Amino acid sequence: MVVFAYPSTVIREAEGPLIDAGVPLMARAAQALARFCADEIRTARGQVAGARACVLAGPGNNAGDALFAAAALSRRGAKITVVTLFEGTHIDGLAAAQRAGADVIAYPAARSAGDTRGDILRELTRADLVLDGILGTGGRRGLPPHIASLIKDWTPRDDSILVAVDVPSDLSPAETGADDRLHADHTVTFGGLKAELIDPRVSRFTGEVHVVDIGLHPAQSAAAGEVLDSEDLIAEFPRPDAQGYKYSRGVVGVLAGSEEYPGAGVLTTTSAVNCGIGMVRYLGSPLVAEFVLGLHAEVVTASGRMNALVMGPGDPEDEFLRDAVDALTDTSIPVVLDAGALEMVGRADSVRGTWLAKRPVVLTPHAGELARLLSRILGEIITSSRITADPIGWAKRAAKLSGCIVLLKGHQTVIACPDGFCVLPEAGPASLATAGSGDVLAGIIGAMLAVFHATRQQASAESQQTSPEAPLPDRDWAHIVGLAVLIHNAAGYRAVNAGTLVDAVVEVAGDLIHSRSLGGG
């Protein structure tokens, strides 16, 4: 099931009416946190009784969650130490922990040079589990100096477990100071996935993120993004209908490859064919067409109806690009622009308001290509290192400026819509970082867009709809693109280079179509 990510403000607004109605949200959160911690301790050492747990407690409600959870662990036989890091903490939570037998060590800033520092470091080192309840969603830019110094001097045991409560206490994406920040093994967050937890830059601080439902149910329309995984692909992959035929299954046009780079045309076309689409049209160089037809006799080289078009992998010659653009006249089909075709965005003859404005457009740059695109649009030098330092931020900016859906390729693929909404498919294997991998991805995206576009057209025709078909929102197109990335990822687990990757696509599609699973992937 798709997991939506929300700004922290949306979560807090959803909490308000329930708190006013007396719903015990903190109790629900603390109980879930205690169960999670107990399970982790049992997995690590067999039983909760006799385990040591340490709570780093700040002044807010996340400290309350941690303290009430610690009280529950103490009642199960764990030895609890609470370290209060400010002048005050959550009063009721601290009282509950003390009633359950917890020891308390105070370490406010004014006493940071005192004897308690050694005691705290000893307890942290002895702990089987540490709960980070220092700062909540309001404190994002660095820990106070006395806490940062303490963390820097603490060397966790290899077998200890660090659990962040709701959010890690410092999610500042700065690269400096990482040795004085907490690196959680797990983050247990409540009420909904917080948007800041899906930023690729903070994954080393969050560890695995677990979402606990405490009854908030924020509106999906308020989400800032969504996270997709293989289960979403298995559930939503567009399988052939028993009454279907090649046109209802979708037709994708591919303009990829050139006499200089013919392989890109073969890889892009083959990946589209291997997705199980109804038809693939190859629209590029006759030389590349010969290679393509030698492998796939079913590919059509004549122009005609299409449900989506992929342009740009392998820098196709300008004459074929012009012909492809002409073929889009009076259509609204989705277009994927990759590699050489990205130059068409931001130029005076192709800005939004011309042929690009009539349809969903997906841009698929890597960091270097996005840097060149933004430099051209903004009129200033943007470097690829700036892009990789903030992939979500730059992808969102590019989407807003271009009016297109932007898929920024990398270890963590980011798909951004012009309105700022983001889709983050789960990361794929490192084997995808190989020449030609992007060509394979472009073909998969084009095929998936074509299938969904054809399905909508078929449904509209069957319902005898007379009014024009309502445009599909960018967020829905971005979701489809995210599913295409998951196919690419699944194929990557079965391949070591682009040649084997493109062959693995048909294995993945076959598993999804015939067994409704990812098989051995």
Side-chain angles (χ1 to χ4, degrees):
M1 183 180 69
V2 175
V3 177
F4 290 92
Y6 301 89
S8 296
T9 53
V10 171
I11 300 297
R12 287 196 291 269
E13 289 170 1
E15 290 174 342
L18 296 177
I19 292 173
D20 293 342
V23 177
L25 295 182
M26 182 170 287
R28 293 179 181 178
Q31 289 167 6
L33 179 61
R35 286 194 296 270
F36 178 86
C37 292
D39 288 343
E40 289 297 309
I41 292 172
R42 276 193 291 266
T43 298
R45 64 187 308 275
Q47 62 181 18
V48 176
R52 289 182 173 273
C54 186
V55 179
L56 297 174
N61 286 338
N62 63 330
D65 297 331
L67 291 165
F68 280 117
L73 292 174
S74 182
R75 290 191 291 270
R76 299 186 190 191
K79 171 64 176 175
I80 306 297
T81 299
V82 175
V83 179
T84 58
L85 297 166
F86 294 84
E87 292 297 335
T89 188
H90 193 278
I91 296 175
D92 293 339
L94 182 61
Q98 288 179 303
R99 286 195 301 271
D103 294 329
V104 180
I105 304 175
Y107 186 68
R111 296 177 53 191
S112 60
D115 296 336
T116 57
R117 182 184 181 88
D119 295 336
I120 294 168
L121 289 172
R122 182 176 63 254
E123 290 302 319
L124 286 170
T125 302
R126 296 167 67 189
D128 299 295
L129 181 139
V130 176
L131 281 170
D132 168 16
I134 304 173
L135 296 174
T137 55
R140 317 271 6 107
R141 295 294 175 184
L143 295 170
H146 73 293
I147 301 176
S149 174
L150 183 71
I151 299 304
K152 187 173 183 179
D153 290 344
W154 169 42
T155 303
R157 296 196 333 248
D158 291 339
D159 60 346
S160 67
I161 305 163
L162 176 57
V163 178
V165 181
D166 202 31
V167 292
S169 290
D170 181 12
L171 282 183
S172 172
E175 291 297 321
T176 58
D179 59 342
D180 58 10
R181 297 165 65 177
L182 293 164
H183 292 242
D185 299 298
H186 303 275
T187 295
V188 180
T189 192
F190 311 110
L193 180 62
K194 277 70 174 180
E196 53 263 51
L197 296 177
I198 67 174
D199 190 324
R201 298 173 296 174
V202 305
S203 60
R204 59 186 176 138
F205 302 114
T206 64
E208 186 176 357
V209 178
H210 310 265
V211 181
V212 174
D213 181 6
I214 57 174
L216 300 188
H217 307 303
Q220 290 182 5
S221 59
E226 65 181 25
V227 178
L228 302 178
D229 63 21
S230 57
E231 294 301 317
D232 299 306
L233 175 60
I234 293 169
E236 299 184 49
F237 183 81
R239 298 168 176 89
D241 184 270
Q243 307 302 318
Y245 53 100
K246 63 183 178 183
Y247 290 119
S248 67
R249 183 62 181 154
V251 181
V252 62
V254 175
L255 175 51
S258 60
E259 294 192 6
E260 187 174 4
Y261 303 110
V266 174
L267 290 172
T268 306
T269 307
T270 300
S271 64
V273 169
N274 286 354
C275 280
I277 193 169
M279 181 190 294
V280 177
R281 295 185 187 277
Y282 181 75
L283 305 174
S285 163
L287 172 66
V288 180
E290 289 184 20
F291 288 113
V292 169
L293 291 173
L295 293 171
H296 303 287
E298 68 270 38
V299 171
V300 175
T301 57
S303 59
R305 63 191 290 185
M306 296 181 292
N307 299 105
L309 174 63
V310 181
M311 295 195 293
D315 293 335
E317 291 84 358
D318 286 346
E319 60 186 285
F320 301 112
L321 287 171
R322 288 193 296 269
D323 290 344
V325 171
D326 290 343
L328 294 172
T329 303
D330 299 326
T331 76
S332 58
I333 66 169
V335 171
V336 180
L337 301 182
D338 182 59
L342 292 170
E343 296 295 323
M344 305 174 78
V345 180
R347 289 194 331 208
D349 60 347
S350 60
V351 293
R352 300 299 285 181
T354 59
W355 66 274
L356 287 176
K358 301 177 182 179
R359 67 198 73 257
V361 178
V362 181
L363 312 181
T364 60
H366 54 61
E369 290 168 334
L370 186 60
R372 290 192 292 273
L373 172 63
L374 287 170
S375 296
R376 186 169 65 251
I377 293 175
L378 294 172
E380 61 178 283
I381 296 176
I382 305 296
T383 62
S384 59
S385 61
R386 292 177 66 184
I387 302 294
T388 55
D390 183 10
I392 287 183
W394 284 106
K396 289 167 66 173
R397 187 172 185 186
K400 182 177 181 180
L401 288 169
S402 67
C404 303
I405 297 166
V406 174
L407 181 151
L408 177 56
K409 292 180 281 196
H411 170 66
Q412 171 61 72
T413 298
V414 175
I415 305 165
C417 296
D419 67 355
F421 187 83
C422 286
V423 176
L424 279 84
E426 64 182 349
S431 59
L432 289 172
T434 185
S437 178
D439 303 328
V440 176
L441 177 59
I444 297 171
I445 294 172
M448 290 290 283
L449 293 178
V451 172
F452 277 95
H453 186 259
T455 301
R456 293 190 77 229
Q457 287 188 321
Q458 183 72 10
S460 177
E462 290 176 353
S463 66
Q464 297 182 332
Q465 182 174 314
T466 56
S467 58
E469 185 179 352
L472 198 64
D474 284 337
R475 294 184 178 196
D476 291 341
W477 289 118
H479 179 88
I480 296 167
V481 173
L483 297 178
V485 173
L486 294 175
I487 295 173
H488 191 243
N489 290 352
Y493 285 106
R494 311 177 189 211
V496 295
N497 55 46
T500 54
L501 177 65
V502 76
D503 291 336
V505 172
V506 77
E507 297 176 12
V508 171
D511 286 342
L512 290 167
I513 291 171
H514 299 299
S515 64
R516 305 185 74 85
S517 74
L518 285 175

